[in-house]
Amino acid sequence: MIRLNKLFLLFGCIVIFNSCTQDLKMSSPDKRISFVLTKDHSYVVLVGEDTIARMNFGMRLGQKEREPDVFYERIECVADNTVNGHYNEYLLSLKTGDKPAVRLCIYNDAIAFRYEYESTENIKVIDENSFWTLSDGTIVWYFERDNHYKLKSYAGSWKFTDIESLDTVSRMETIQGAPLIFEFKNGLKGFLSEAALKNYSGLRLNAIGGNKLKSDFTEKDGFDVGHKLQSPWRVLFIGNDLTELVNQDVIKGLSPGPDPVIYEETSYIKPGKCAWRWFAKGTGNFEQERDIIDKAALLNFQYSMIDEGWNKWENAWNKISELAVYGKQRNIGLILWKHSKEILSPENDYGVMCSWLDSIADSGAAGVKVDFMDSEAKYMIDFDLKLLEEAAKRKLLVVLHGCQKPTGEQYSYPNEITREGVRGIELNKMSEGYITAAHNAALPFTRFVVGNADYTPLTFTMPGETTFAHQLATLVCFTSTLQVIAEDPEILLENKYITPALDFIRQVPTVWDETIALPQSEIGKLVVMARRSGKNWYIGILNGEEKQKEVSINMDSYHLFSHKITILNDDIFADKILLPMKGHRSGKMERIASLPFRVSGGTGEGNIPLVIAPNGGAVIMMIFKPDN
C-alpha cells in the first residue's frame, strides 16, 4: 500500500490487469477526469465523455537497447487523499517489479505522474518514452525564438497553432519548451508542464507529428541520478475556463514543502517592487546607485537592484556595504547581480559559490540576481537548487535570470522571489525587439500560469508599439512576488505625463488574494483581469490587437460602495505626446509618441464602459475607504 493516511484513507486496492476483457477506469475524486487503461493496452484521458488526450509510459535506463513502452499491470491505489490536495493516487508497476513504477495522481482538474525506481547501482536515464497525444482540433500556445537561445532562456514570443501543425510550425526545430498551453475543441483550457524538478534534467516536449508530444531532454546521451530515481511530476492540467487556468494550484500541490530547518526563519522573504537603473541608463557608479535608492524610497519601493558592473568599482565590497546600510536606513534592500559561470563549479561542495554568498551576506545586501544559466541540463538544475539552499542558509533572496520555466521552486524554496524564463521588456533594447502587444496579452494565460516571471514590467521610454496605459496594466496582469520595475525612477517621479499614474505605481501590490479572468478575455487578444489584495481591487486590461475595442466592466460583483475608484486609460481623443526619451536600439535620444493618460472616477455599481486604444490598455484601481 502506498502512502497511508490514517485519517483520510477511504479504501485501498490491488488490481492485476493482464488479460482482462474490459477496460480499467481510474478517476478523480469528483469523477470529472478519468484515466482508462483499455484492453488493447492504450491509456486514455477523459473529461466526462470527451477524449482529451492519450498517454503512454516508458523509460530507457543504462545502455540497453531501446525497449517498447512498458505496460504497467499491477495497480495499487489510495483514494481521496487530502494530505497535499484532493486527488486519487495510484501506483502502476510490473508484477516483477524490475522496471520503474509510475505513480499517478488524478486531481479534479489535472492528471500527473512520475517515475520511481531504486537500484543498488547508479542509475542513468537515457530517455523517457513519455507520450501525450492530443485530441484533434486542439489549439496549442507555444513560445518561439529564431535562435539557439529559445530553449536556453525560454525568452520566446508566444504564438499559437493547431496541434496537427505543431511539428512543422517552428523554423528552429520540433522541440518546444514547457509549458505548452491548450485550448481544447470543447472549450476547456489546459497546459502540459512539470513539477518538483530535482536531481533530473528539465523536461522539453518534442512534437513528432500525429498530434503527439514526446518527452525530451538537453542531454542526448542521458544523465545520472544516483541509486534512486524519482522523476519530476509530468502534469496535464485541464480547467473549464481561463480563471481556472490562471488559478491552478496543482504545481504547488505536487511540490514538496520547504525544508523546515533551512526555512525555519523566513521573515527576510518580503514581496515588493524594485528599482533598477540598468534598463534605462545602465548600471551606475556608487553615487548614481545611491541616488536610485533615494528614488526607490520616494516611490514606496522595497528594493533596488544593482546589475552587471558593480564588482568593477574601486573598493567594490566596501561601497556595497555602505549602500546596504544607506538602503536599510530608508527601508530599501539591495539585490546584486552575478554571472552564473563565475560561481558554477561544484568542486568542494560549490565552495566558490558559498564563499561569494558569504560576502554578499556580510555586505548586508538582501539578495542576489544570478544570470545566464542558459540551460536546463541536470548539472544546471543542481546548481540552481544548491544556490537557493545556500542562499537560504544566509537569509538571502534569489532572482534567477537566463533560465527555464518554474516547476514549483517558489513553494519549495520560498527565497526564490522570482525568476525570468520569459520574453520580457529588456528585449525592447535589443535588435530582436519590440515586445508586441499580442505577446503581452498572451502572457497571463501562458507563461505566468506556472509561476512567477521576472518580465521587469513598466517602461514609458521604450514601450515599443504599446501605449502608456498598456504598460501600466502589466503591473496588474503580470505576476511576480518581486516586481523589478524597468523604468528610470527619475522619469516616474518627475515627468508630468506620468504623474497621473504615480499613486497607482506606488500602491499596486505584487501578491494577490484572488484573481478573476473576466469573460471578455481571449488569449493573445484581450486580457481583462480583476485581482484583489485585502479589500482593494485592481482591474488590468491589455489589448493585444491593433484595433480599438470597447470593454464594459460590471462593478456590481465587487461590492465597492466604500471604495475610491480611479480609472486610468489611454485618451484616444488626445494628440499623441512626444517625449524626448531614450530609444531602444540606437542608444540615441529619440522622441517617443504615445497617448497620454485619461484619469477619471467611477461608482461601485452599474457598468463602466471603456474604449481601449489599439495595442492599449487600462487600469481600474478600487481602494477601500471606510469613511467614503
Side-chain angles (χ1 to χ4, degrees):
M1 185 66 65
I2 62 176
R3 194 165 58 195
L4 296 178
N5 181 328
K6 296 179 180 179
L7 297 178
F8 300 108
L9 177 62
L10 299 185
F11 66 86
C13 65
I14 297 179
V15 179
I16 303 299
F17 187 68
N18 193 1
S19 57
C20 300
T21 58
Q22 59 183 356
D23 298 345
L24 177 65
K25 187 175 183 180
M26 295 170 280
S27 301
S28 59
D30 65 357
K31 310 300 181 186
R32 174 178 179 265
I33 295 180
S34 300
F35 184 70
V36 181
L37 279 67
T38 66
K39 58 182 177 291
D40 63 353
H41 295 184
S42 63
Y43 311 77
V44 181
V45 179
L46 298 171
V47 178
E49 300 298 320
D50 294 337
T51 298
I52 295 297
R54 295 179 180 271
M55 291 166 52
N56 293 87
F57 305 122
M59 177 167 281
R60 181 183 171 204
L61 301 177
Q63 301 299 326
K64 297 179 181 178
E65 294 298 319
R66 182 177 297 278
E67 299 174 352
D69 286 354
V70 177
F71 176 61
Y72 297 90
E73 298 171 299
R74 177 172 172 268
I75 301 170
E76 302 177 13
C77 62
V78 173
D80 205 14
N81 189 321
T82 57
V83 175
N84 293 316
H86 200 50
Y87 59 85
N88 289 338
E89 184 172 353
Y90 304 85
L91 185 67
L92 288 69
S93 63
L94 289 174
K95 288 184 292 184
T96 57
D98 61 353
K99 294 291 188 296
V102 169
R103 190 173 300 276
L104 186 73
C105 289
I106 308 180
Y107 290 77
N108 292 338
D109 55 7
I111 183 166
F113 71 88
R114 74 180 181 198
Y115 296 98
E116 298 178 356
Y117 184 56
E118 291 193 42
S119 173
T120 57
E121 301 177 351
N122 284 326
I123 302 169
K124 185 171 186 177
V125 176
I126 302 299
D127 194 13
E128 279 186 24
N129 292 328
S130 306
F131 294 90
W132 297 262
T133 305
L134 280 299
S135 56
D136 290 342
T138 300
I139 298 298
V140 182
W141 285 86
Y142 65 101
F143 60 86
E144 187 61 280
R145 193 175 187 183
D146 290 337
N147 60 46
H148 68 284
Y149 279 103
K150 173 181 174 179
L151 295 173
K152 292 181 177 180
S153 63
Y154 275 48
S157 296
W158 281 88
K159 302 178 181 296
F160 70 92
T161 188
D162 54 81
I163 185 62
E164 292 85 352
S165 304
L166 188 60
D167 60 317
T168 60
V169 73
S170 176
R171 290 192 296 176
M172 293 299 295
E173 54 182 329
T174 59
I175 299 170
Q176 302 292 343
L180 293 179
I181 307 297
F182 305 130
E183 295 184 275
F184 297 104
K185 195 173 182 179
N186 60 4
L188 300 178
K189 315 297 182 185
F191 69 79
L192 181 58
S193 195
E194 64 180 331
L197 173 58
K198 185 174 184 179
N199 193 36
Y200 217 79
S201 185
L203 175 70
R204 296 105 60 86
L205 297 157
N206 193 359
I208 60 176
N211 299 13
K212 187 174 287 189
L213 300 166
K214 183 190 178 299
S215 55
D216 181 87
F217 303 98
T218 303
E219 303 93 331
K220 300 308 178 184
D221 59 349
F223 50 91
D224 295 321
V225 296
H227 295 281
K228 183 176 181 180
L229 184 157
Q230 182 173 285
S231 77
W233 293 97
R234 282 69 184 90
V235 185
L236 175 63
F237 174 86
I238 309 165
N240 289 310
D241 53 32
L242 292 177
T243 292
E244 291 190 7
L245 183 67
V246 300
N247 285 293
Q248 70 82 18
D249 60 0
V250 174
I251 299 293
K252 178 180 180 179
L254 292 168
S255 301
D259 184 302
V261 176
I262 296 177
Y263 293 100
E264 181 180 10
E265 168 58 44
T266 59
S267 61
Y268 68 96
I269 304 173
K270 298 176 181 178
K273 294 188 283 290
C274 180
W276 184 40
R277 193 181 191 276
W278 179 89
F279 179 79
K281 294 181 176 178
T283 300
N285 57 32
F286 171 80
E287 290 78 13
Q288 290 167 332
E289 292 293 348
R290 185 173 59 188
D291 181 63
I292 293 294
I293 292 173
D294 288 334
K295 290 181 168 60
L298 291 173
L299 286 164
N300 196 32
F301 289 2
Q302 289 70 42
Y303 298 95
S304 182
M305 180 178 288
I306 307 180
D307 215 283
E308 178 182 14
W310 66 266
N311 59 317
K312 298 176 183 178
W313 295 348
E314 186 177 356
N315 299 319
W317 284 111
N318 290 337
K319 290 180 178 177
I320 287 296
S321 296
E322 186 175 336
L323 286 176
V325 171
Y326 190 79
K328 286 179 180 178
Q329 292 169 348
R330 290 152 182 79
N331 296 315
I332 302 294
L334 286 190
I335 297 176
L336 303 176
W337 182 93
K338 186 71 169 178
H339 198 301
S340 68
K341 302 303 186 289
E342 298 175 7
I343 56 172
L344 181 58
S345 172
E347 293 181 2
N348 300 317
D349 196 21
Y350 293 90
V352 174
M353 174 205 292
C354 292
S355 178
W356 177 72
L357 289 173
D358 286 339
S359 297
I360 294 289
D362 291 343
S363 77
V368 298
K369 172 184 176 179
V370 179
D371 207 345
F372 295 111
M373 274 68 81
D374 291 337
S375 175
E376 57 187 321
K378 180 181 176 295
Y379 81 93
M380 192 60 79
I381 302 303
D382 294 343
F383 168 79
D384 290 351
L385 300 189
K386 181 66 172 178
L387 172 65
L388 289 167
E389 290 178 358
E390 293 298 332
K393 292 175 184 177
R394 295 158 176 82
K395 297 181 174 56
L396 294 172
L397 303 175
V398 175
V399 178
L400 297 177
H401 254 237
C403 59
Q404 78 288 348
K405 80 285 184 185
T407 69
E409 290 84 359
Q410 67 193 78
Y411 311 114
S412 301
Y413 306 89
N415 62 319
E416 182 187 293
I417 199 165
T418 194
R419 68 163 60 201
E420 194 180 25
V422 68
R423 189 177 187 86
I425 205 65
E426 69 180 53
L427 266 294
N428 278 11
K429 293 182 61 163
M430 303 178 186
S431 59
E432 293 181 50
Y434 298 109
I435 298 293
T436 66
H439 171 73
N440 286 347
L443 282 176
F445 308 119
T446 53
R447 165 60 179 84
F448 281 100
V449 166
V450 294
N452 283 333
D454 190 23
Y455 175 98
T456 63
L458 193 65
T459 175
F460 302 116
T461 57
M462 304 183 206
E465 297 175 357
T466 66
T467 69
F468 282 7
H470 182 107
Q471 287 294 316
L472 203 64
T474 61
L475 293 182
V476 177
C477 298
F478 297 170
T479 47
S480 180
T481 305
L482 179 75
Q483 286 284 29
V484 180
I485 304 301
E487 190 51 83
D488 179 2
E490 183 176 354
I491 295 293
L492 300 180
L493 288 165
E494 300 179 11
N495 190 284
K496 65 180 181 179
Y497 294 107
I498 311 305
T499 299
L502 197 51
D503 283 347
F504 167 79
I505 294 169
R506 284 188 170 117
Q507 293 183 57
V508 64
T510 65
V511 293
W512 304 96
D513 299 315
E514 183 177 357
T515 296
I516 303 170
L518 274 64
Q520 303 99 310
S521 298
E522 190 174 356
I523 305 177
K525 295 182 178 180
L526 182 67
V527 179
V528 186
M529 186 166 285
R531 286 198 152 117
R532 179 179 62 81
S533 174
K535 293 184 178 181
N536 299 328
W537 280 91
Y538 295 78
I539 295 178
I541 301 173
L542 297 172
N543 185 359
E545 296 186 296
E546 296 181 356
K547 62 182 180 181
Q548 185 174 293
K549 295 181 180 178
E550 296 182 359
V551 174
S552 181
I553 307 295
N554 185 342
M555 306 301 287
D556 293 338
S557 340
Y558 302 100
H559 309 291
L560 300 173
F561 305 109
S562 297
H563 289 63
K564 179 183 178 182
I565 299 174
T566 304
I567 304 165
L568 295 103
N569 62 331
D570 297 304
D571 189 347
I572 62 172
F573 301 107
D575 293 332
K576 286 188 175 182
I577 53 177
L578 295 174
L579 303 177
M581 298 179 180
K582 187 177 180 181
H584 85 297
R585 300 182 193 185
S586 65
K588 299 177 181 179
M589 296 298 288
E590 299 177 357
R591 294 174 70 82
I592 304 298
S594 183
L595 294 170
F597 289 118
R598 179 177 181 270
V599 184
S600 57
T603 67
E605 55 186 333
N607 292 325
I608 293 181
L610 297 171
V611 178
I612 309 300
N615 295 335
V619 162
I620 303 177
M621 181 169 62
M622 298 160 278
I623 304 300
F624 179 69
K625 301 286 186 182
D627 297 331
N628 277 9

